Amino acid sequence: MKEMSPLDRFLLLITGILAGYQIAIGIEGAAPPAVWAYTVGFGALLLAGVLLLIFGFELLGSPFTIVVSTLIPLALSLGLVWEYLPGWRTAYLLFAVLGFALVGLARMAVPGRPATLALAIVHGVAGLLIFGLPLLLSVRGEAPAGFALVGVGGALIGVGGLLLSFLKMGRPLLPQKTILTVLPLLLLLTTSAFVAGFAVVQ
Amino acid sequence: MVPVTRLRGKLKLYWSLIKSLQTGLLLLTGLAGFMSTRCPLTNWQTLLGLTGSLFLAISGSTILNMWYDRDIDAKMARTAGRPLPSGRVGPGEALRLGLTLAVLGVGWAVALDPLYGLIVFAGLFFDVVVYTIWLKRRTPWAIVWGGVSGGMPALAGRALGTGQIEWVGLALALAVLFWIPTHIMTFSLRYAGDYRRAGVPTFPAVYGFRFTHITIAVSSLLAALMMAVAAYGVGLTWGYLRLIMVLSAGLLLLAINSLVQPSERINFGLFKYASLYMLSAMLLLFFV
């Protein structure tokens, strides 16, 4: 496993601070459930940065990490749905809760292909929402143009998720060293895009 | 040139006697306690007095502990290289230095405010006399008193700002008190063999690893709860309260993980995270 460089540590530290900043300032005007959903999403990003700093890249091999990191796209997408697709709130909340439980249970009970499939479905739906919804809202003029940055963040975290999932399945899209080299920067860019995107709707 | 070099060498030795990171963290809890009362920053005399007196008192207390524990430090690989057991500083010199710093720190604290001075003195007394001299070699429960003394700087800082001992200050002190077992026990798990050789009763040695992990999880939970109560009492906005909750969740997650899947790696990660947690929470109280 690749050793963590000082630059990696610096990037992860900034990621954690940015996520912490977003949690502290919240999203102005958002309903409390949406704010809590964003808090969980950014909280998972913050903890991911800090725990990677402490434990190094070996942390990525833990099933626990995979389950907890599912919270990032699920919670952020739930916040977006709560705010911008009010008609889907209950259904998506149900999907988020069941999806999280499914990922956790599958990882513990039937590791391997079923667990990866559950992860792919849950991540796929949540990732598509984070990527597509802000872009759509920006294009339609229902949100400021800069809100599309949240979608960019969604795309970036989707790329990260894909790289790590295929790596975990033993069919890496890129060499492991390359993935781990770009991961801290990818996390920082993702968090920056989210923070910048949400800043324009403040 | 030679005296300057010698002085520099001496100061370097003295610096390692005060455990700068630990002293710095405790000092920060005191400053956070004071700043959380929203005293104006422009009152630099009080801030300087608080920083100076606490730094001296905590440093003096740490040196006195090192002086008393020099025999057990010599038996442990981790601490055998410290200035006292390695003979680079003599016991008499360390005792004089510790007493001087402690008296100066407590004296300055009393001059600043009698109640504040009393709490600083209580912290020093609990740490050196009750924890180190009386209980540390007799019972693993000594860490409760170590926790009480660890909570004193936060209580003292808060009392200096408000002029009284109130529930927010006590909650802050309790947050530190409950955090200390996590901090110390993760360390005693890592160096269990060292402590056994030195004859210091620790939780892992007396009650076993499983019970120690459970205690760590419970004390982390209580520390997180008390930190939330203190932060609420201080008047942090919801945003910062949410942030403290997230940081607390990380602490609990790691504590539970170390209980479910105990390993040296997770244990030491928890030790590091716990320090980072206290630092972050206190910085939030300090600045916000």
Side-chain angles (χ1 to χ4, degrees):
Chain A
M1 193 67 81
K2 179 184 175 291
E3 280 287 307
M4 198 164 276
S5 69
L7 178 65
D8 293 336
R9 290 178 194 281
F10 177 73
L11 295 175
L12 289 169
L13 181 68
I14 303 295
T15 301
I17 290 172
L18 266 179
Y21 164 80
Q22 187 62 56
I23 293 167
I25 62 159
I27 313 283
E28 203 171 306
V35 172
W36 280 107
Y38 292 138
T39 299
V40 172
F42 281 103
L45 266 171
L46 189 164
L47 293 178
V50 173
L51 296 180
L52 271 172
L53 256 173
I54 291 176
F55 289 101
F57 291 118
E58 285 86 356
L59 184 76
L60 297 170
S62 158
F64 195 64
T65 308
I66 294 165
V67 176
V68 173
S69 63
T70 310
L71 282 173
I72 300 172
L74 265 183
L76 290 178
S77 60
L78 178 62
L80 287 171
V81 168
W82 203 274
E83 273 195 279
Y84 298 102
L85 299 173
W88 288 86
R89 281 176 182 173
T90 312
Y92 196 75
L93 178 63
L94 210 63
F95 168 78
V97 173
L98 290 177
F100 183 66
L102 182 70
V103 169
L105 287 174
R107 189 59 53 180
M108 278 184 280
V110 277
R113 195 169 283 272
T116 309
L117 188 69
L119 193 71
I121 293 169
V122 172
H123 266 269
V125 173
L128 276 175
L129 263 169
I130 304 174
F131 170 63
L133 190 56
L135 286 177
L136 190 70
L137 291 167
S138 299
V139 170
R140 281 185 179 175
E142 291 170 32
F147 191 54
L149 281 170
V150 175
V152 174
L156 289 172
I157 206 164
V159 170
L162 273 176
L163 289 174
L164 289 175
S165 296
F166 278 93
L167 179 67
K168 188 84 189 155
M169 284 164 65
R171 277 178 282 176
L173 300 173
L174 292 170
Q176 187 201 53
K177 199 179 170 194
T178 311
I179 294 173
L180 298 184
T181 302
V182 298
L183 189 68
L185 182 64
L186 200 62
L187 267 176
L188 176 60
L189 288 176
T190 302
T191 312
S192 306
F194 284 146
V195 172
F198 281 119
V200 299
V201 289
Q202 290 285 22
Chain B
M1 205 51 203
V2 174
V4 175
T5 314
R6 274 190 61 191
L7 182 68
R8 198 178 292 162
K10 212 60 163 165
L11 285 176
K12 209 174 158 188
L13 277 177
Y14 288 169
W15 188 252
S16 60
L17 274 179
I18 68 164
K19 295 187 190 169
S20 52
L21 284 178
Q22 184 184 292
T23 296
L25 190 56
L26 285 171
L27 179 60
L28 180 68
T29 64
L31 286 167
F34 176 70
M35 293 299 289
S36 70
T37 63
R38 304 293 177 262
C39 276
L41 252 177
T42 45
N43 187 358
W44 63 270
Q45 293 97 330
T46 312
L47 199 60
L48 181 71
L50 171 83
T51 310
S53 59
L54 264 185
F55 176 75
L56 290 172
I58 297 168
S59 301
S61 166
T62 308
I63 294 174
L64 290 173
N65 287 341
M66 284 235 198
W67 166 76
Y68 190 79
D69 280 342
R70 63 190 185 283
D71 57 333
I72 54 176
D73 278 352
K75 292 176 190 164
M76 300 198 284
R78 180 178 64 84
T79 51
R82 283 179 177 172
L84 271 159
S86 64
R88 284 174 294 150
V89 174
E93 184 184 356
L95 179 62
R96 282 193 297 277
L97 180 67
L99 283 174
T100 306
L101 295 185
V103 168
L104 282 175
V106 173
W108 192 352
V110 171
L112 206 59
D113 181 84
L115 176 64
Y116 165 70
L118 182 69
I119 300 171
V120 171
F121 173 74
L124 195 136
F125 180 79
F126 282 131
D127 191 31
V128 178
V129 179
V130 179
Y131 171 65
T132 301
I133 297 177
W134 182 24
L135 296 173
K136 186 176 174 180
R137 298 171 193 223
R138 293 166 197 252
T139 165
W141 291 97
I143 59 163
V144 173
W145 294 99
V148 170
S149 66
M152 288 298 167
L155 183 65
R158 184 82 194 170
L160 183 63
T162 59
Q164 59 181 329
I165 294 176
E166 29 78 277
W167 71 270
V168 180
L170 288 172
L172 259 180
L174 281 173
V176 180
L177 188 156
F178 288 127
W179 167 84
I180 283 196
T182 304
H183 179 76
I184 293 184
M185 284 183 194
T186 46
F187 213 65
S188 57
L189 278 169
R190 184 174 168 89
Y191 296 104
D194 258 10
Y195 283 109
R196 202 177 305 117
R197 268 190 297 280
V200 178
T202 58
F203 263 67
V206 176
Y207 299 109
F209 279 45
R210 178 78 185 157
F211 185 77
T212 307
H213 280 297
I214 293 171
T215 312
I216 288 173
V218 172
S219 79
S220 298
L221 174 67
L222 291 173
L225 282 175
M226 289 321 296
M227 190 58 83
V229 169
Y232 175 76
V234 163
L236 286 195
T237 60
W238 264 112
Y240 289 101
L241 283 176
R242 283 197 304 267
L243 185 51
I244 284 192
M245 283 181 210
V246 167
L247 294 170
S248 300
L251 184 71
L252 291 178
L253 211 68
L254 277 178
I256 291 167
N257 203 10
S258 80
L259 186 64
V260 177
Q261 289 178 310
S263 75
E264 167 59 28
R265 222 173 110 67
I266 291 175
N267 176 57
F268 200 53
L270 174 60
F271 171 79
K272 288 183 189 170
Y273 185 88
S275 302
L276 202 63
Y277 169 76
M278 187 48 72
L279 181 74
S280 316
M282 288 298 162
L283 282 174
L284 282 175
L285 294 180
F286 191 106
F287 287 113
V288 179

